[in-house]
Amino acid sequence: MLCNTMEGMTYMWVITVFEENTYRMFEYRSKSEATTALHKFKQTALLSYTR
């Protein structure tokens, strides 16, 4: 799992890639790492931040 902790809280950037009848999720440590990966997907995808 690629995530950070700050003051006891875990947070990460998540890309959700939507395919025909399913989806895949990828976790990243930084926004720049996630946005670089996001540009490589051809399917519909969503970038989100979570704790």
Side-chain angles (χ1 to χ4, degrees):
M1 178 182 220
L2 302 175
C3 58
N4 292 323
T5 56
M6 182 176 171
E7 300 175 16
M9 299 176 77
T10 301
Y11 63 95
M12 65 189 124
W13 289 90
V14 178
I15 295 177
T16 306
V17 180
F18 300 94
E19 296 178 338
E20 288 192 24
N21 294 320
T22 191
Y23 61 91
R24 295 182 292 154
M25 298 177 81
F26 302 90
E27 301 169 349
Y28 297 92
R29 295 176 191 247
S30 68
K31 183 178 180 181
S32 62
E33 182 182 24
T35 53
T36 299
L38 183 63
H39 291 293
K40 296 178 182 179
F41 290 105
K42 296 191 188 288
Q43 304 94 329
T44 301
L46 173 71
L47 176 61
S48 58
Y49 177 79
T50 186
R51 290 189 204 189

